[in-house]
Amino acid sequence: MIRFLTAGESHGKSLSTIIEGFPSNLDLTSDYINFHLKRRQAGYGRGQRMKIETDTSEILSGVRFGKTLGSPISLIIKNSDWENWTKIMSPDIPSIDFNYERVSIPRPGHADLVGISKYNFDDIRNSIERSSARETAARVAAGSIARKFLENFGITVGSFVESIGGIYPAENYLFDLLQNKVKKNYSAWQLSVKADRSQVRVLDAEQENKIIRKIKTAKKKGDSLGGTFVTVATGVPVGLGSYMHYERRLSSNISHSIMSIQAVKGVEIGLGFAAANGFGSEVHDEIVLKGNSFTRTTNNAGGIDGGISNGLPIIVRAAMKPISTLMKPLKSVDLKTMKKVEARRERSDFVAVPACAVISESMLAWTLAQSFLEKFGGDSMEETMDNYQAFTGKLQNRIKNNFRRS
Ligand code: EPS
């Protein structure tokens, strides 16, 4: 069973995470994690903070000479901005009195009002700090370990932005994936390689131009935008997850992990909501034998049947709402005066859909690694590999022999 916890406030000293349960002898370096941390920072439409930070992880435990030890892995990502916040965010009681403005005007769409209501704070800053999507840097670090683990078994994860501000590509890439119209045996990571070349992580150059123009308009108007993105995993073996209990279904665990990303408001697997509109004969994927193994003519199920991976690519689509902080704010109430006011402006991104897609890769990788280790187990990578090979190598013959007998 793998698990991770993150800690850290957006403008605190650092973000940190403890990751537990990976087998020993997994090759791991901070360079690998930092590569993905850098990808999270990119994207046209991000705010000033990303110019201050160069997110870099420092591994504190659990790894020796580039290999995991099986012990808890802990790492930190320092906040460069901390030096501007040492007084305001100090964990210690200030030795001298200093004046700082307590935040009292909640921003619509943020956790500001519910946060102070729930935790009984007299300063919205106390909620802003932990609810901030800055926390996702620590998630990407943890998720990078999961993706490194999965790569050993030929599983890769990738993503692309499908739309921003309602601007979709001329070609429906998601549909092509669901219809199995893309290159046979494509790797999900190749989708990311292509998307990373775009400033907004889309696959279509004309769409990119239109989106950048729309983001410029949003910026000028003091507004923000959201969008949709697609996350894919390829090389996933048959048999991850289970229909035995609700919390073991791979589909529900993936939805949970993607939905947990700040500002995500919708998640679909495979055809998702569109599956509700067609006839059964149009939606379900026909089973065919390809060589010695089973596959499907289409992948509308998004690689999961009955909560169990079926060997086809896992395809997830999600929707991110527009960033809640607006430079041209909506109405709110000042909690000090209880009077109607404009919501507070706070430095923020205008668009973070490209970053959100990168974060979703980490969350998908994490969930797959969790289900993978639940199925195959192992205290060392060698043992996990043996278990994996024993199952996948014998699967097809087992099916054949079982049914021949009866
Ligand atoms: C983020 C850091 C934050 C924001 C953004 C994500 O930095 P700051 O608040 O100092 O500008 O840029 O967070 C939000 C948009 C949000 O609503 O919380 C990051 O590192 O990703």
Side-chain angles (χ1 to χ4, degrees):
M1 178 62 187
I2 53 168
R3 53 186 180 154
F4 79 94
L5 276 178
T6 71
E9 276 70 44
S10 180
H11 304 102
K13 197 168 189 174
S14 65
L15 297 160
S16 54
T17 171
I18 298 188
I19 300 119
E20 194 216 22
F22 280 101
S24 60
N25 298 334
L26 166 66
D27 290 317
L28 185 68
T29 61
S30 40
D31 285 351
Y32 181 84
I33 298 169
N34 295 343
F35 171 76
H36 291 292
L37 285 177
K38 194 169 177 195
R39 294 179 59 232
R40 191 200 73 95
Q41 288 200 267
Y44 185 84
R46 299 215 67 188
Q48 291 304 310
R49 179 73 184 272
M50 289 305 104
K51 296 199 172 82
I52 300 172
E53 304 294 343
T54 312
D55 292 340
T56 312
S57 65
E58 187 188 341
I59 298 175
L60 301 179
S61 71
V63 181
R64 184 169 183 235
F65 302 145
K67 281 189 190 292
T68 57
L69 299 171
S71 53
I73 300 166
S74 57
L75 57 87
I76 55 164
I77 302 160
K78 288 186 181 143
N79 285 324
S80 302
D81 205 16
W82 160 246
E83 60 183 66
N84 304 314
W85 292 78
T86 44
K87 271 183 154 182
I88 292 183
M89 288 305 296
S90 168
D92 303 317
I93 301 166
S95 50
I96 41 158
D97 260 357
F98 73 97
N99 272 336
Y100 70 95
E101 190 207 345
R102 279 186 298 144
V103 182
S104 63
I105 306 172
R107 296 159 300 169
H110 260 290
D112 296 358
L113 185 56
V114 287
I116 59 107
S117 308
K118 181 174 167 65
Y119 293 103
N120 195 28
F121 291 140
D122 64 357
D123 184 352
I124 292 173
R125 169 70 43 212
N126 288 346
S127 321
I128 293 177
E129 288 294 324
R130 182 62 186 164
S131 59
S132 164
R134 176 94 192 116
E135 183 259 351
T136 58
R139 294 204 206 192
V140 168
S144 300
I145 300 175
R147 76 193 295 161
K148 182 73 197 173
F149 167 81
L150 294 172
E151 279 172 13
N152 283 273
F153 305 93
I155 303 169
T156 70
V157 181
S159 71
F160 62 91
V161 169
E162 183 195 35
S163 73
I164 289 180
I167 300 173
Y168 285 79
E171 188 186 334
N172 191 337
Y173 296 107
L174 173 61
F175 186 74
D176 291 350
L177 289 174
L178 297 173
Q179 292 297 301
N180 275 338
K181 278 188 182 155
V182 287
K183 213 169 62 193
K184 295 259 174 302
N185 300 326
Y186 71 97
S187 117
W189 174 241
Q190 287 312 312
L191 291 170
S192 273
V193 170
K194 196 163 176 209
D196 284 351
R197 286 188 206 126
S198 154
Q199 290 187 75
V200 284
R201 303 201 70 247
V202 295
L203 303 178
D204 177 304
E206 203 178 311
Q207 183 199 14
E208 177 179 31
N209 292 334
K210 283 189 197 161
I211 286 175
I212 289 176
R213 278 202 296 276
K214 185 142 187 183
I215 297 174
K216 282 183 179 159
T217 310
K219 267 189 189 176
K220 235 184 250 166
K221 287 184 173 170
D223 222 320
S224 63
L225 292 168
T228 58
F229 56 89
V230 175
T231 319
V232 180
T234 50
V236 180
V238 174
L240 304 193
S242 168
Y243 50 69
M244 293 297 179
H245 288 289
Y246 64 92
E247 85 279 22
R248 299 210 199 132
R249 286 184 175 260
L250 188 60
S251 36
S252 69
N253 290 336
I254 289 173
S255 310
H256 173 201
S257 68
I258 305 291
M259 194 64 140
S260 75
I261 304 169
Q262 291 81 340
V264 168
K265 284 293 197 183
V267 180
E268 298 178 320
I269 294 189
L271 207 49
F273 273 66
N277 304 332
F279 287 109
S281 56
E282 296 163 332
V283 167
H284 298 298
D285 309 306
E286 289 186 302
I287 299 169
V288 286
L289 204 53
K290 194 178 109 195
N292 202 22
S293 52
F294 293 109
T295 185
R296 312 288 192 280
T297 48
T298 50
N299 190 14
N300 290 328
I304 303 174
D305 287 322
I308 301 175
S309 60
N310 64 16
L312 272 79
I314 306 276
I315 302 174
V316 190
R317 178 173 180 250
M320 182 192 197
K321 68 177 179 178
I323 297 284
S324 312
T325 308
L326 303 180
M327 294 308 138
K328 191 180 140 227
L330 294 172
K331 289 197 185 82
S332 185
V333 175
D334 188 338
L335 305 181
K336 276 185 196 154
T337 60
M338 292 297 168
K339 295 243 162 74
K340 260 202 258 174
V341 285
E342 279 189 346
R344 190 170 176 276
R345 291 176 187 84
E346 170 112 12
R347 179 184 63 193
S348 187
D349 303 321
F350 295 92
V351 173
V353 186
C356 198
V358 172
I359 298 155
S360 78
E361 291 175 19
S362 267
M363 293 311 291
L364 179 59
W366 182 269
T367 305
L368 290 175
Q370 208 164 37
S371 298
F372 192 98
L373 276 164
E374 209 169 278
K375 167 129 187 74
F376 299 112
D379 292 308
S380 67
M381 282 302 283
E382 295 74 17
E383 191 185 346
T384 307
M385 185 59 85
D386 285 348
N387 298 344
Y388 163 79
Q389 285 173 344
F391 176 78
T392 52
K394 288 180 188 153
L395 179 63
Q396 215 56 32
N397 278 342
R398 276 209 184 115
I399 296 174
K400 238 190 235 166
N401 292 339
N402 285 343
F403 283 84
R404 191 175 290 145
R405 244 189 3 238
S406 56

